[in-house]
């Protein structure tokens, strides 16, 4: 790594400032130029797959700002664009709404563990309702098969098979707990995820940068990342969608259970609840004193998961 | 230091020139210089460029095809990239370890090698930034992180803190290195008010970058393996080892290839630092292991998996033990008297410690944080070919930057580049 004196501009340039390019130096320059050209060509070749990726992003999508900064007019345009994209790619007419929280509502969920028999219908319903990738069988819900006599998840098993329920087991479905102190929201560096007034924690799929810090922070394994573009056959796409919930998600972002806000904010029940054959699931507005859920929370022995972490779940478990 | 004299006589005359004109010219000249060299130099640069391009291409494919090309999953959502990021933060922080003895204890010889440490820090920070960028699912949305036009979740998110401290550290080091080189180039004595405050700032800042990075992990209550107050001190201790060890290696390479000889004193100080830091690091590791296994509870399942394997899965066991063995060998070697000389022992010791800590911070810290998952499922992880290629590319690019900067340091400090003689005076 010695500096070649014969070619340094200083040596050559001495007393010859009007003619800085001397022979030796110009040969060097030419060689360097050739190297630089070669390097540039190799660079272009190396990044060429990016061009493919760039085609999938339109300028308006790239420029789109945070959901909360969009005006009603902006939202209308964004939603029109999203609907048109689905039409173009899948040939399906979908209806993307912008369902907002109903004032005076705070949604909570409860599961009766004495009744749940681990049949997994909720998992399946979630999969269909939320347009999850078919190949990976994705769902926001995981059901743990637990030995009786413990609440320690370390003894649980999410990949059980065979006839359920087994005598010595109980079943613990886990999904997003819509925590009141959600660590996933705290850690997000770009505020792409937040808690809404009705208690539902949502993600703006068009703002998330895909760092997956929230996935690391969630203690309930409630978040999923789109490692690849989800693949849903056109005739199976659920067309009843909402911007913050079950619309088809772009690749490279994080998503999660939204208590089916495209249903529940329209007065319906979550898909997992409707699918549950045992009636183990109860859903409702905790602010409504006459609600079923309120009665359960007041009269049953209620548990929450990982209470010691201080996440304050809005998701409860109880035994009869 | 091959030459500290040979200052051009026209020095005073040139000093009238405004820096606004002279600094860009200085940058231009050193850039030209950085592309001059022997055949070996060109071969090395070509190799690094080629490897960087391989990494770039792998990353481009990853962006085009989705992160499915990596072996990460919803269970192990961070992998090799974030592991490498963590190590590089340590390297960057360690770069400044030269600075502490130099300025706090006023060790004169140390000043001559401080610039090497700060230069290593610059290359390491670039590698940190790249390691994070390649981990993003949507790199095209990177601008969402820019305060002002994006949404910056500060001060709540530790990641935003990290963005701030890393960029700040980069700027501080660019300033110090640039200023010292420039003054040397002009043949002037650096004005302390222009760099001493920044040097002290960089010491404070080096500690902060590693602490904040540790807080990224230990602030997560749902991950018991990381949720320990010892994490930040352990990070610092290992940075005090990997940084100086890396600098010793760089100094050796500079001496062999460019004849850039520094006095023995600073390197000895570095070895002393490494000795203490490595022992502290090992003591903390031991106390961590004690708490884990003696108490049991939630913390122990990840540790069990890491050290001995669990439920028939043992993917990380060879990694962890090789890290411990490498660290122990490195420590023993560093304590041999010959480590104080310019011996092979010293070089081997540095290599052992660097490799040991790289594994400890990656496969031994980031990955086991995810295994078992928060619902206690065991899903194993080992990096995919794409991930290895991208990581190698990042290292190659970091070394490329380091080589260019070192070349500049050697020529400027060697007096091979000085301001041009003025031909026209106004
Ligand atoms: S369960 Fe996880 S994803 Fe849901 S709110 Fe709590 S921390 Fe966030
Ligand atoms: S993955 Fe998305 S939602 Fe999660 S922390 Fe990162 S930017 Fe926020």
């Amino acid at each position: 790594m010695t500096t070649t004196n014969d070619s340094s501009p200083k040596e050559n340039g001495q007393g010859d400032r009007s003619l800085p390019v001397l022979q030796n130096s110009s040969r060097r320059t030419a060689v360097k130029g050739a190297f630089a050209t070669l390097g540039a060509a190799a660079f272009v070749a190396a990044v060429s797959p990016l061009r493919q990726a760039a085609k999938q992003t339109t300028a308006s999508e790239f420029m789109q700002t945070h959901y909360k900064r969009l005006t009603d007019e902006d939202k209308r345009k964004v939603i029109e664009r999203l609907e048109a994209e689905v039409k173009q790619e899948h040939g399906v007419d979908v209806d993307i709404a912008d369902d907002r929280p109903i004032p005076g509502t705070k949604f909570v969920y409860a599961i009766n563990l004495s009744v749940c028999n681990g049949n997994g219908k909720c998992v399946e319903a979630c999969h269909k309702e939320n347009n999850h990738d078919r190949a990976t069988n994705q769902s926001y819900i995981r059901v743990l098969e637990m030995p009786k006599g413990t609440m320690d998840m370390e003894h649980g098993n999410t990949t059980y098979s065979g006839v359920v329920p087994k005598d010595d087991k109980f079943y613990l479905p886990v999904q997003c707990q819509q925590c009141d102190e959600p660590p996933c929201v705290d850690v997000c560096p770009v505020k792409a995820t937040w808690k809404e007034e009705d208690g539902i924690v949502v993600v703006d799929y068009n703002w998330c940068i895909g760092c997956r810090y929230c996935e690391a922070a969630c203690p309930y394994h409630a978040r999923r990342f789109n490692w690849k573009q989800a693949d849903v056959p056109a005739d199976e796409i659920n067309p009843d969608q909402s911007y913050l919930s079950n619309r088809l998600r772009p690749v490279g972002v994080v998503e999660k259970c939204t208590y089916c806000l495209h249903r529940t904010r329209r007065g319906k029940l979550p898909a997992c609840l409707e699918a549950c054959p045992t009636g183990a699931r109860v859903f409702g507005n905790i602010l409504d004193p006459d609600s079923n859920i309120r009665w359960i929370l007041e009269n049953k022995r209620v548990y929450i998961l990982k209470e010691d972490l201080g996440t304050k779940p809005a998701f409860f478990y109880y035994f009869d | 230091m091959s030459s500290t004299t040979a200052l051009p006589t026209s020095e005073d005359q040139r000093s009238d020139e405004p820096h606004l004109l002279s600094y860009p010219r200085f940058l231009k000249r050193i850039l030209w210089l950085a592309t001059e060299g022997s055949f070996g130099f060109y071969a090395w640069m070509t190799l690094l460029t080629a490897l960087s391009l391989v990494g770039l291409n792998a990353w481009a494919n990853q962006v085009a095809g989705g992160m499915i090309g990596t072996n990460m999953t919803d269970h192990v959502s961070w992998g090799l990239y974030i592991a490498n990021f963590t190590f590089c933060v340590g390297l960057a922080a360690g770069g400044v370890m030269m600075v502490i003895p130099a300025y706090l204890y006023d060790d004169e010889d140390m000043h001559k090698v401080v610039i090497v440490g700060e230069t290593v820090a610059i290359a390491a920070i670039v590698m940190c930034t790249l390691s994070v960028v390649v981990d993003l699912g949507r790199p095209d949305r990177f601008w969402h992180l820019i305060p002002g036009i994006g949404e910056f979740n500060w001060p709540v998110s530790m990641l935003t803190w990290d963005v701030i401290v890393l960029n700040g550290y980069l700027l501080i080091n660019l300033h110090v290195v640039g200023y010292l080189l420039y003054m040397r180039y002009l043949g002037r004595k650096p004005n302390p008010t222009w760099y001493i405050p920044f040097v002290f700032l960089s010491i404070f800042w080096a500690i902060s970058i590693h602490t904040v990075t540790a807080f990224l992990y230990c602030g997560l209550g749902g991950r018991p393996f990381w949720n320990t107050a010892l994490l930040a001190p352990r990070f610092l201790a290992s940075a005090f080892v990997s940084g100086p060890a890396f600098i010793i290696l760089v100094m050796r390479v500079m001496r062999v290839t460019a004849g850039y000889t520094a006095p023995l004193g600073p390197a000895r100080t570095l070895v002393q630092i490494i000795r203490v830091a490595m022992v502290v690091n090992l003591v903390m590791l031991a106390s961590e292991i004690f708490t884990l296994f003696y108490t049991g509870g939630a913390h122990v399942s990840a540790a069990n998996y890491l050290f001995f394997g669990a439920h028939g899965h043992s993917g990380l066991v060879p990694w962890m033990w090789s890290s411990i063995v490498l660290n122990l060998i490195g420590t023993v070697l560093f304590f041999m008297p010959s480590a104080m000389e310019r011996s092979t022992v010293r070089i081997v010791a540095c290599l052992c410690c660097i490799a040991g800590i790289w594994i400890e911070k990656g496969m031994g810290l980031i990955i086991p944080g995810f295994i078992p998952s928060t619902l206690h499922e065991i899903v194993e992880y080992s990096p995919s070919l794409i991930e290895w290629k991208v990581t190698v590319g990042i290292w190659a690019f970091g070394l490329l930057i380091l080589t260019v900067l070192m070349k500049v340091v050697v020529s400027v400090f060697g007096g091979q580049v000085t301001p041009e003689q003025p031909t026209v005076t106004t």
Side-chain angles (χ1 to χ4, degrees):
Chain A
M1 224 164 69
T2 50
T3 319
T4 42
N5 283 333
D6 61 335
S7 61
S8 88
K10 175 191 155 233
E11 299 291 328
N12 286 331
Q14 247 170 30
D16 233 325
R17 301 269 301 160
S18 52
L19 246 184
V21 182
L22 287 188
Q23 242 183 2
N24 196 7
S25 153
S26 76
R27 201 190 68 225
R28 284 244 158 197
T29 314
V31 171
K32 282 186 186 184
F35 263 104
T37 316
L38 204 70
F43 180 86
V44 171
V47 295
S48 65
L50 286 183
R51 253 181 297 161
Q52 189 54 38
K55 264 188 228 149
Q56 291 155 11
T57 314
T58 58
S60 50
E61 187 192 335
F62 176 74
M63 299 295 288
Q64 187 182 324
T65 180
H66 192 282
Y67 173 82
K68 288 187 183 171
R69 284 199 238 153
L70 294 173
T71 62
D72 287 345
E73 176 62 15
D74 293 339
K75 277 184 188 164
R76 197 183 52 75
K77 281 193 196 137
V78 166
I79 286 175
E80 258 172 27
R81 190 191 78 224
L82 292 170
E83 287 173 345
E85 272 170 21
V86 180
K87 179 78 184 166
Q88 200 196 353
E89 268 171 51
H90 305 270
V92 180
D93 288 304
V94 297
D95 186 13
I96 304 178
D98 177 35
D99 297 287
R100 301 304 305 146
I102 307 160
T105 314
K106 164 136 166 70
F107 288 128
V108 294
Y109 216 137
I111 294 187
N112 186 345
L113 295 181
S114 312
V115 173
C116 174
N117 67 5
N119 61 73
K121 286 280 183 285
C122 50
V123 178
E124 215 179 290
C126 175
H127 173 73
K128 291 190 182 135
E129 179 69 30
N130 290 301
N131 295 313
H132 280 298
D133 180 47
R134 292 300 185 251
T136 46
N137 227 356
Q138 196 60 272
S139 168
Y140 295 137
I141 308 174
R142 287 183 105 71
V143 184
L144 278 91
E145 186 178 72
M146 304 271 290
K148 283 191 175 154
T150 178
M151 276 299 259
D152 186 351
M153 289 188 215
E154 206 178 324
H155 306 293
N157 174 16
T158 52
T159 51
Y160 61 90
S161 55
V163 181
V164 289
K166 299 189 188 90
D167 276 345
D168 51 343
K169 309 280 192 208
F170 74 100
Y171 298 84
L172 181 70
V174 185
Q175 61 208 75
C176 175
Q177 315 272 307
Q178 318 291 356
C179 310
D180 283 346
E181 298 285 346
C184 57
V185 169
D186 288 346
V187 300
C188 178
V190 294
K191 298 188 187 163
T193 180
W194 65 92
K195 193 172 173 71
E196 300 240 284
E197 283 100 84
D198 57 358
I200 299 175
V201 174
V202 293
V203 180
D204 181 354
Y205 313 122
N206 280 47
W207 190 256
C208 167
I209 59 174
C211 66
R212 307 186 300 293
Y213 196 10
C214 54
E215 246 191 332
C218 170
Y220 305 98
H221 194 73
R223 290 183 166 245
R224 307 283 183 270
F225 183 70
N226 286 276
W227 301 97
K228 65 183 188 63
Q229 189 64 58
D231 186 20
V232 191
D235 56 337
E236 291 177 24
I237 291 179
N238 175 6
D240 287 331
Q241 304 181 355
S242 194
Y243 182 89
L244 291 172
S245 68
N246 64 335
R247 66 179 165 105
L248 297 168
R249 275 82 63 191
V251 68
V253 303
V254 152
E255 60 182 56
K256 64 182 286 299
C257 161
T258 59
Y259 277 174
C260 284
L261 63 79
H262 55 283
R263 299 169 60 99
T264 50
R265 284 180 182 171
R266 299 176 197 168
K268 294 208 276 176
L269 289 164
C272 48
L273 186 148
E274 271 190 2
C276 178
T278 66
R281 289 174 171 261
V282 188
F283 181 85
N285 176 9
I286 198 177
L287 300 180
D288 173 4
D290 302 323
S291 62
N292 210 359
I293 190 99
R294 185 73 172 259
W295 187 87
I296 285 168
L297 295 180
E298 279 166 7
N299 295 287
K300 298 283 181 181
R301 284 171 295 135
V302 175
Y303 301 83
I304 54 171
L305 290 184
K306 305 199 183 190
E307 184 185 358
D308 49 321
L309 298 179
T311 51
K312 302 201 183 125
F315 200 103
F316 303 91
Y317 298 91
Y318 67 100
F319 294 95
D320 270 333
Chain B
M1 209 62 61
S2 54
S3 158
T4 50
T5 51
L7 303 174
T9 44
S10 56
E11 192 42 41
D12 295 334
Q13 206 180 331
R14 297 291 294 168
S15 58
D16 302 337
E17 187 177 10
H19 295 304
L20 215 58
L21 294 176
S22 143
Y23 194 66
R25 182 153 59 232
F26 158 70
L27 290 180
K28 215 177 95 196
R29 293 206 50 204
I30 59 174
L31 270 182
W32 173 267
L33 210 99
T35 53
E36 294 285 306
S38 63
F39 178 76
F41 172 74
Y42 281 122
W44 170 242
M45 294 298 271
T46 309
L47 175 73
L48 291 182
T49 310
L51 289 177
S52 306
L53 288 173
V54 167
L56 184 68
N57 181 248
W59 175 70
N61 277 316
Q62 173 189 301
V63 173
M67 300 278 277
I68 191 78
T70 71
N71 275 353
M72 289 183 269
T73 56
D74 282 327
H75 290 87
V76 185
S77 53
W78 282 342
L80 187 60
Y81 298 150
I82 296 299
N84 197 47
F85 159 78
T86 313
F87 176 82
C88 291
V89 174
L91 203 55
V96 103
M97 296 312 145
M98 315 278 294
V99 183
I100 293 178
Y103 293 95
L104 294 189
Y105 303 120
D106 220 16
D107 176 345
E108 261 305 315
D109 281 346
M110 210 64 173
H111 289 222
K112 293 172 185 154
V113 278
V114 158
I115 192 135
V116 177
E118 306 237 348
T119 313
V120 167
I122 291 174
I125 293 283
V126 171
M127 286 161 68
C128 289
T129 311
L130 291 178
S131 299
V132 171
V133 170
V134 298
D135 192 60
L136 294 183
R138 295 303 297 237
D140 54 321
R141 297 182 182 167
F142 190 75
W143 65 271
H144 296 180
L145 258 176
I146 302 172
I149 57 169
E151 280 283 344
F152 205 53
N153 191 12
W154 190 83
V156 180
S157 172
M158 277 297 129
L159 208 52
T160 53
W161 278 89
D162 225 23
V163 170
I164 293 174
V165 293
L166 286 176
N167 283 309
Y169 193 59
L170 182 61
L171 290 180
I172 295 171
N173 282 298
L174 281 176
H175 165 72
V176 173
V177 169
Y179 179 74
L180 288 180
L181 281 177
Y182 180 53
M183 284 298 127
R184 193 59 185 230
Y185 161 83
L186 293 180
R188 291 209 222 138
K189 206 170 156 41
N191 179 351
T193 47
W194 276 106
Y195 81 107
I196 296 289
F198 293 96
V199 168
F200 276 96
L201 189 61
S202 79
I203 296 173
F204 158 77
W205 213 281
I207 293 172
S208 82
I209 61 168
H210 222 15
T211 310
V212 169
T213 308
F215 286 177
L216 270 184
Y217 312 110
C218 66
L220 304 182
R223 305 271 170 195
F225 187 71
W226 293 339
N227 196 213
T228 152
L230 260 191
L231 207 67
R234 268 185 71 195
F235 269 37
L236 287 172
S238 57
F240 273 75
V241 176
S242 58
F246 197 79
I247 290 162
I248 291 178
L249 287 184
V250 172
M251 295 299 298
R252 168 65 66 99
V253 171
M254 285 170 77
R255 192 165 63 81
V256 171
T257 58
Y260 184 86
T261 315
L264 254 173
R268 287 199 172 147
T269 314
L270 288 185
V271 172
Q272 299 282 23
I273 294 175
I274 293 176
R275 283 179 176 175
V276 177
M278 200 63 195
V279 171
V280 172
N281 190 30
L282 289 174
V283 168
M284 285 198 279
L285 180 66
S287 92
E288 192 108 82
I289 291 176
F290 171 80
T291 346
L292 288 169
F293 288 104
Y294 199 79
T295 333
H299 292 68
V300 84
S301 40
N304 249 331
Y305 168 73
L306 180 59
F307 285 95
F308 307 110
H311 307 287
H313 300 280
S314 55
L316 294 186
V317 175
W319 286 99
M320 193 58 206
W321 287 106
S322 58
S323 147
I324 290 185
V325 169
L326 283 167
N327 279 338
L328 284 176
I329 295 178
T331 313
V332 170
L333 290 181
F334 267 122
F335 272 93
M336 288 175 46
S338 51
M340 280 297 180
E341 306 306 318
R342 291 195 177 106
S343 65
T344 322
V345 172
R346 183 156 89 189
I347 297 303
V348 175
C350 287
L351 289 172
C352 284
C353 285
I354 291 172
I357 287 171
W358 189 80
I359 299 173
E360 187 191 304
K361 289 281 149 294
M363 292 304 188
L365 180 86
I366 303 304
I367 315 301
F370 293 99
I371 311 175
S373 77
T374 47
L375 297 187
H376 296 276
E377 294 167 87
I378 294 190
V379 174
E380 298 208 275
Y381 162 82
S382 64
S384 72
L385 187 60
I386 285 198
E387 288 173 86
W388 280 118
K389 280 187 189 167
V390 169
T391 306
V392 167
I394 289 174
W395 271 92
F397 190 69
L399 289 178
L400 194 87
I401 292 181
L402 188 64
T403 311
V404 167
L405 290 175
M406 283 306 151
K407 187 125 181 38
V408 170
V409 168
V410 169
S411 356
V412 171
F413 274 65
Q416 283 146 344
V417 50
T418 44
E420 290 136 306
Q421 307 291 316
T423 46
V424 194
T425 37
T426 43

